[in-house]
Amino acid sequence: MAASTSSLLPSQSLPEQNKLPKIKLYTTTAERQKIDQMADLYSLIKTVQHLETAYTRDAVSEEKYTNTCKKLISKFKTLKAACSQLVPNIDKFITEYHMDCKAARHRLLRVGVPATVEYGATSKDSDANDKAIVKHSSCSSYQWFILIADVFLSVCV
């Protein structure tokens, strides 16, 4: 029984025989730079997509989102200018490489600013102000409740 199961296992020499041949993506330094630029562009677009997803899920604070998004947009504009001859149309690049990046496409190509700038964001001052208003309203409501209860009890007794 043991002999039959061991015969089904691949031998030690098979992995060496099944190795795929190495494919060279470039032969010159210029070709390597083109591949590197395209890889940088691809990774930057995917990073913005992940940042947008994290922001919409509240996984990142508005301040961190805004600062990071501004940096990435700046890097994108620089990279876009640097590889304009290599990738003249970013939309086609995204489609050609099957990148499902609708949010990144919108942020980088259509709008060019973080969502906190585009739609406005609550600042720390407005958050503190909102909390103060809620606190004041709840205290005021509590005071009115006590006053009405006192008046009601004094009338009933």
Side-chain angles (χ1 to χ4, degrees):
M1 194 72 132
S4 65
T5 55
S6 65
S7 65
L8 296 176
L9 298 175
S11 68
Q12 298 298 334
S13 63
L14 280 180
E16 292 173 11
Q17 294 173 355
N18 291 336
K19 282 188 179 178
L20 297 174
K22 289 188 177 183
I23 299 173
K24 285 194 171 190
L25 298 176
Y26 52 85
T27 54
T28 65
T29 305
E31 288 175 351
R32 189 184 116 245
Q33 287 176 344
K34 288 179 183 179
I35 295 292
D36 285 346
Q37 283 182 337
M38 289 173 65
D40 290 342
L41 183 62
Y42 183 93
S43 65
L44 196 138
I45 292 168
K46 291 299 253 181
T47 302
V48 171
Q49 179 65 31
H50 289 296
L51 179 64
E52 291 292 316
T53 303
Y55 176 66
T56 57
R57 293 179 181 168
D58 262 347
V60 65
S61 70
E62 288 180 359
E63 184 179 345
K64 273 190 173 183
Y65 165 78
T66 303
N67 292 337
T68 305
C69 195
K70 282 180 181 179
K71 285 180 189 176
L72 290 171
I73 289 170
S74 175
K75 288 179 182 183
F76 173 75
K77 288 178 180 179
T78 303
L79 189 58
K80 182 180 173 184
C83 64
S84 62
Q85 290 180 343
L86 178 63
V87 182
N89 188 335
I90 304 294
D91 269 327
K92 285 184 181 178
F93 177 82
I94 291 171
T95 305
E96 181 179 345
Y97 290 99
H98 306 288
M99 299 170 70
D100 184 25
C101 297
K102 292 178 183 138
R105 181 180 279 173
H106 175 75
R107 185 70 44 225
L108 295 170
L109 300 175
R110 310 284 186 277
V111 180
V113 295
T116 51
V117 175
E118 181 183 9
Y119 301 115
T122 58
S123 66
K124 290 179 182 175
D125 294 336
S126 67
D127 282 346
N129 190 32
D130 291 345
K131 287 178 184 175
I133 290 170
V134 168
K135 187 176 181 181
H136 175 73
S137 297
S138 62
C139 289
S140 179
S141 299
Y142 187 70
Q143 281 179 323
W144 279 106
F145 174 76
I146 291 174
L147 178 68
I148 292 170
D150 282 344
V151 169
F152 178 75
L153 288 173
S154 65
V155 171
C156 290
V157 175

